[in-house]
Amino acid sequence: MARLAAVWQITIRWYVIALVMAGLGVLAGYLLFFNALQGRPQIGVIDIPFTIIDDDSAFFIGEMLDFVSRTDSIKAVVIKLNSPGGGVAPSEHLFLKTLKLREKKPVVVAADQFLASGAYMMAMGANEVFVKPSSIVGSIGVRVRFGPPPAPSDFEIETGPSKLTGGTERDLFGELEQLKESFLQMVLTQRGDRLNITPQELVEARTYTGLASVRLGLADAVGGDTEAIERAASLARISHYRLVDVNVEVQRLLFKKIKRIIEPLEPLLSTVEGAEGRGLDLEMLTSLLLSRGLGESQGRVPPDFPIDVNLPQFFYLYAIPPR
Amino acid sequence: MPFRLGKLWLLLLFPVGAGAFIGGAYLFFYQGGYRAPPTVRVQFESIVVPTASVAGFVEAPTPREGMFLLDVAHSNNFDEAELSPLLSRVASRGYTIEFLGERDHGGASSPPGRVRLALLEEKLREADSFAVILPQDAYAKEEVDVIERYVEKGGRLLLIGDPSRHDHINSVAEEFGITFQDGFLYNVVEHDLNYRNIFLRDFLPNELTQGLGRITLYTAGSIQSGVSLVTTDGNTYSSMIQRTAPFAPVVKAGDGGVLGIFDITFMIPPQDALTDNARFIANIADFLTNGQRSFELVDFPHFFSGPVDILLGQSSLFPAGTAMKSLLLTFETPSELRGVEDLLQDTVFLGLYEDARDVAQYLSLARIQVGETIRTPFTPAIPSDSTGLVLLHQGQGGRQVLIVLGDTESSLHRLVELLGAGGFRTGLVSDSVGVYRLNS
């Protein structure tokens, strides 16, 4: 009893109470800061290995951009990009998404081998662009692939002369020119005073080495992923940040979504024969649904879009046609 | 109680501790917030693409007679429909249009070299103008020589290449001192819908550039040398040639008889109607149809431009006259036997040497004497037995007089046969005189 009384005497001494209260406060602050408030800042790293920007790849890249946009703890974004571009609509989609993201968080693009055409367009949405000395940068232009107009048929009737073709060949040239002008305006408005190249030179659609692109103001600096991450942190004004592999996080999220949809069906799926002769399972389905279009072979140039619909096909793409 | 209340201030240390941690953590991790740069929106709605306008052009050409020959014997890389604006204008000027060689369905084929050469020689005898357009097979030296002789005689030659199509146009063009250069021309500052569709406004005054204000070429190339009829402006560059000097996609060469154009697409509908292209095509049609080519004896009977009068030295030569009439008819040249010479009409005179006095004025102009021997400026005296003589006289106003003489009726008949079979060409001693040994 006497001992308890002695302990109590010590415990209730003011400095002990003060220490405990302050410690509890710090603990509460810790819990609050890391759980309810900002917490340790993160930089989201989106990795886009050699990719033709088509509907599939643009969907997945778009999902990643959405993820970093809505994740508060991610304070800056670095996009490791290696692409010669692709379809016009997917490229424009990614430009607009990146531009929107930039309004919330700094976005820095770190180019690998290719940052051309539609990929360069996407990079225009970022705050800054880092390139490697040997990166292939530029190719600001559009190309179109079209065939001869179909002859009128007795077995397929349309309501107007342009219903099958969309317009004349001259109309097509006009559309092509509009898209080129639109691309040019994206570059001029987003690069602004940083450009040391005339619009006339830009629309020649040349590619430049990373070194030349920095000199011409098409890119901001020569540097790799590390420099891009440091620059993103600097723009976001953060330090002691943690890197987040956005590809993995998004795949995980999508996997969860798919799992919720597919799991109830799994008993049924096992009866369906898959590509390798075994029953379809969740893993196979997920691999089919996720990451499509990313990391494609360079042999798949130009993209093997369906050729029977949506002709003509416009591309923001830097690629030599198959010989 | 007073003791405990007095220590209550210690509770404030809890929020202070929490605040200090949070503040410290913020200072540790964050040096301030992100300041987004102002977003400059792209004014997509203000993007407008100017286009070339259709220029109305109506013409009333003067009909002329002649034949326009189009080469399709060298795997020529064009479709006839692409040339319809030009061909229709040539046809509207009264010219007939013929093809050198056979056209396959939708393209041109290529006959063997010797056949092609013979075909070219034969057709160019008749042609007033000739077009070599995108030949994918190179012209042989012998073929080029034939074309060169044709141009020397005043024949009009149109050479068309196109940077977007494969061709061997230089195998002909270089003989006339012009070269269709590699690469294509472009202008990124001002163009019709595409950088390869260039406007041209700088014209050298010439029949071919008459009335032109602005034409548009659709993927044109540069031609080196020759007389530049149309040149590019300072914003037009070549994809291959590193210079900014004006380029010439339209030139003349060969003393004005050769027209080189390094673009075919400007005459393909609908481009043919844009800016002053229609007028330019009309000018090209004029160039092709208003030439004055001269003919030689070797060109028999194509030097006759209309109905021909056949005069006989004596009535016994009537069979030879009808044979000549039949022969001319095979070349679609109508003729009539006449008793009196019409000085405005193309004429064939058939006679024996003893009838030479009837055509003495023509023979003396050619310094030919006919008697026991035949004397020409090009041959020694030849005994007149079993011989024949052919002379082509080209009079004023383009009148052609062909004189065919033999020592006997059978010699004359044989000579008419030689004319029909083309064998007379082996006995030519000059461009207008032929002397033949006619042993049966």
Side-chain angles (χ1 to χ4, degrees):
Chain A
M1 199 62 188
R3 277 182 68 183
L4 275 174
V7 169
W8 175 245
Q9 282 303 315
I10 293 168
T11 307
I12 63 167
R13 280 182 199 277
W14 69 269
Y15 52 84
V16 175
I17 294 170
L19 215 59
V20 170
M21 290 310 286
L24 285 172
V26 167
L27 181 64
Y30 174 88
L31 292 171
L32 201 61
F33 181 79
F34 285 106
N35 295 298
L37 296 175
Q38 300 273 11
R40 185 177 181 182
Q42 296 175 335
I43 291 179
V45 178
I46 295 172
D47 187 15
I48 304 172
F50 182 85
T51 296
I52 301 294
I53 300 174
D54 59 12
D55 291 341
D56 289 340
S57 57
F59 165 76
F60 192 70
I61 295 167
E63 285 292 305
M64 291 195 283
L65 293 173
D66 284 341
F67 173 81
V68 294
S69 176
R70 68 173 178 263
T71 306
D72 288 338
S73 57
I74 293 179
K75 302 298 179 191
V77 183
V78 169
I79 303 172
K80 294 159 65 177
L81 185 52
N82 181 16
S83 169
V88 287
S91 300
E92 289 163 352
H93 170 70
L94 293 180
F95 162 72
L96 292 170
K97 278 192 98 70
T98 310
L99 191 65
K100 199 72 188 161
L101 176 63
R102 188 179 80 185
E103 291 174 0
K104 287 177 75 176
K105 302 169 183 189
V107 183
V108 176
V109 165
D112 199 13
Q113 187 185 359
F114 290 104
L115 186 68
S117 208
Y120 187 74
M121 176 185 284
M122 180 188 173
M124 287 302 91
N127 296 64
E128 292 188 11
V129 178
F130 279 67
V131 290
K132 293 186 171 59
S134 62
S135 296
I136 294 169
V137 183
S139 187
I140 295 155
V142 203
R143 57 201 292 176
V144 63
R145 192 165 64 179
F146 61 97
S153 165
D154 289 339
F155 307 104
E156 186 180 350
I157 312 295
E158 63 284 345
T159 55
S162 298
K163 185 62 185 165
L164 295 180
T165 56
T168 64
E169 196 176 310
R170 269 186 73 75
D171 293 333
L172 200 64
F173 273 98
E175 289 165 27
L176 194 69
E177 189 69 1
Q178 278 178 26
L179 294 181
K180 180 215 78 181
E181 195 60 30
S182 157
F183 195 170
L184 174 66
Q185 289 306 317
M186 289 180 203
V187 178
L188 293 178
T189 53
Q190 303 313 309
R191 297 299 300 174
D193 296 340
R194 289 178 284 182
L195 287 172
N196 295 315
I197 183 171
T198 64
Q200 288 76 32
E201 289 171 305
L202 281 174
V203 295
E204 288 196 353
R206 288 184 189 167
T207 57
Y208 303 92
T209 61
L211 292 173
S213 71
V214 172
R215 183 168 46 80
L216 296 170
L218 293 168
D220 295 285
V222 172
D225 305 346
T226 309
E227 286 81 4
I229 290 165
E230 285 170 359
R231 182 60 186 149
S234 164
L235 286 169
R237 301 184 176 196
I238 56 174
S239 64
H240 303 88
Y241 46 82
R242 193 167 63 83
L243 298 180
V244 176
D245 186 335
V246 179
N247 296 52
V248 170
E249 295 299 324
V250 170
Q251 290 213 24
R252 193 178 291 153
L253 281 175
L254 289 175
F255 182 80
K256 279 182 189 167
K257 278 186 190 173
I258 292 166
K259 196 175 174 185
R260 273 207 305 276
I261 298 164
I262 292 172
E263 238 174 8
L265 304 171
E266 257 195 314
L268 290 171
L269 290 172
S270 60
T271 62
V272 182
E273 199 167 277
E276 291 166 13
R278 61 191 173 96
L280 277 174
D281 56 22
L282 185 60
E283 187 188 343
M284 283 173 64
L285 272 172
T286 309
S287 68
L288 282 172
L289 293 169
L290 290 183
S291 305
R292 286 174 60 197
L294 263 66
E296 290 283 358
S297 156
Q298 292 197 22
R300 196 172 158 242
V301 176
D304 186 20
F305 290 153
I307 56 168
D308 294 325
V309 293
N310 296 331
L311 277 172
Q313 301 164 359
F314 290 92
F315 300 105
Y316 295 125
L317 179 67
Y318 168 62
I320 298 168
R323 293 181 191 282
Chain B
M1 288 301 282
F3 161 77
R4 288 184 182 173
L5 283 173
K7 298 286 185 191
L8 275 180
W9 66 269
L10 291 172
L11 291 175
L12 292 174
L13 287 175
F14 179 81
V16 168
F21 180 86
I22 292 169
Y26 265 109
L27 286 175
F28 184 72
F29 291 118
Y30 300 94
Q31 285 83 51
Y34 166 59
R35 293 195 195 113
T39 302
V40 184
R41 296 283 169 200
V42 183
Q43 301 300 314
F44 292 109
E45 62 277 7
S46 65
I47 294 172
V48 179
V49 176
T51 61
S53 56
V54 174
F57 174 66
V58 182
E59 60 167 355
T62 312
R64 305 174 186 110
E65 282 188 354
M67 190 267 271
F68 173 52
L69 181 66
L70 193 58
D71 175 27
V72 293
H74 292 79
S75 304
N76 302 68
N77 195 0
F78 68 92
D79 191 78
E80 195 181 318
E82 295 178 317
L83 290 180
S84 61
L86 176 66
L87 297 183
S88 63
R89 289 185 191 282
V90 169
S92 71
R93 283 157 175 74
Y95 263 46
T96 57
I97 295 164
E98 293 193 19
F99 294 99
L100 175 73
E102 296 286 323
R103 285 190 74 80
D104 287 340
H105 180 68
S109 60
S110 179
R114 277 173 53 190
V115 175
R116 209 165 57 184
L117 177 63
L119 200 61
L120 182 69
E121 279 184 315
E122 185 58 38
K123 282 286 188 183
L124 282 186
R125 287 191 188 109
E126 189 182 356
D128 295 274
S129 52
F130 179 45
V132 178
I133 300 174
L134 299 163
Q136 293 189 95
D137 299 336
Y139 268 72
K141 179 76 175 73
E142 295 79 13
E143 291 178 298
V144 178
D145 289 343
V146 170
I147 296 174
E148 215 170 355
R149 282 201 297 278
Y150 157 81
V151 172
E152 283 167 5
K153 289 192 279 183
R156 291 285 165 96
L157 176 64
L158 173 64
L159 302 174
I160 296 183
D162 195 284
S164 63
R165 303 189 192 186
H166 172 259
D167 67 59
H168 280 289
I169 192 71
N170 279 332
S171 64
V172 183
E174 284 175 351
E175 282 299 313
F176 296 97
I178 58 176
T179 304
F180 289 65
Q181 296 182 294
D182 289 340
F184 61 88
L185 301 175
Y186 66 89
N187 184 337
V188 297
V189 177
E190 188 195 20
H191 48 246
D192 179 30
L193 297 179
N194 191 267
Y195 74 113
R196 299 193 304 205
N197 306 338
I198 58 172
F199 294 125
L200 295 116
R201 296 187 185 83
D202 298 329
F203 303 106
L204 183 79
N206 187 274
E207 56 168 344
L208 276 152
T209 58
Q210 205 169 16
L212 301 182
R214 183 175 73 158
I215 63 169
T216 317
L217 300 184
Y218 295 81
T219 313
S222 170
I223 304 175
Q224 194 172 34
S225 304
V227 179
S228 305
L229 297 180
V230 183
T231 47
T232 59
D233 63 19
N235 289 319
T236 303
Y237 296 88
S238 164
S239 63
M240 293 289 281
I241 306 157
Q242 296 294 314
R243 66 179 165 93
T244 53
F247 297 98
V250 182
V251 303
K252 257 187 168 184
D255 291 330
V258 180
L259 174 63
I261 304 175
F262 207 171
D263 178 35
I264 189 173
T265 47
F266 78 95
M267 59 174 76
I268 299 173
Q271 288 96 294
D272 65 308
L274 297 171
T275 55
D276 288 328
N277 285 7
R279 186 182 287 273
F280 183 41
I281 294 166
N283 290 351
I284 295 168
D286 282 336
F287 167 80
L288 292 172
T289 55
N290 66 6
Q292 288 292 327
R293 72 158 288 189
S294 62
F295 288 91
E296 296 170 356
L297 190 49
V298 72
D299 300 320
F300 173 84
H302 303 299
F303 37 72
F304 294 128
S305 57
V308 177
D309 287 352
I310 300 173
L311 298 178
L312 302 177
Q314 45 194 277
S315 57
S316 61
L317 300 177
F318 187 75
T322 53
M324 176 57 81
K325 184 176 164 66
S326 302
L327 171 60
L328 291 173
L329 203 59
T330 60
F331 291 99
E332 296 177 0
T333 304
S335 61
E336 292 291 338
L337 288 163
R338 303 280 184 193
V340 182
E341 183 177 3
D342 181 346
L343 295 176
L344 297 174
Q345 198 74 13
D346 286 350
T347 303
V348 175
F349 180 84
L350 298 171
L352 303 180
Y353 288 148
E354 61 201 59
D355 304 316
R357 61 187 178 280
D358 295 344
V359 287
Q361 72 274 28
Y362 302 118
L363 294 175
S364 65
L365 278 171
R367 292 190 289 151
I368 295 172
Q369 294 174 2
V370 178
E372 292 294 313
T373 58
I374 299 168
R375 291 175 187 276
T376 77
F378 318 103
T379 56
I382 301 168
S384 59
D385 289 344
S386 302
T387 62
L389 172 79
V390 179
L391 166 67
L392 174 65
H393 171 84
Q394 296 182 307
Q396 289 199 337
R399 183 185 178 225
Q400 311 285 337
V401 179
L402 182 69
I403 295 158
V404 186
L405 300 174
D407 69 321
T408 62
E409 286 177 23
S410 66
S411 293
L412 187 65
H413 202 81
R414 174 88 182 109
L415 201 48
V416 172
E417 283 176 353
L418 277 179
L419 283 167
F424 72 100
R425 294 190 182 104
T426 56
L428 295 177
V429 294
S430 78
D431 291 345
S432 57
V433 179
V435 180
Y436 303 90
R437 180 71 63 192
L438 298 167
N439 294 328
S440 57

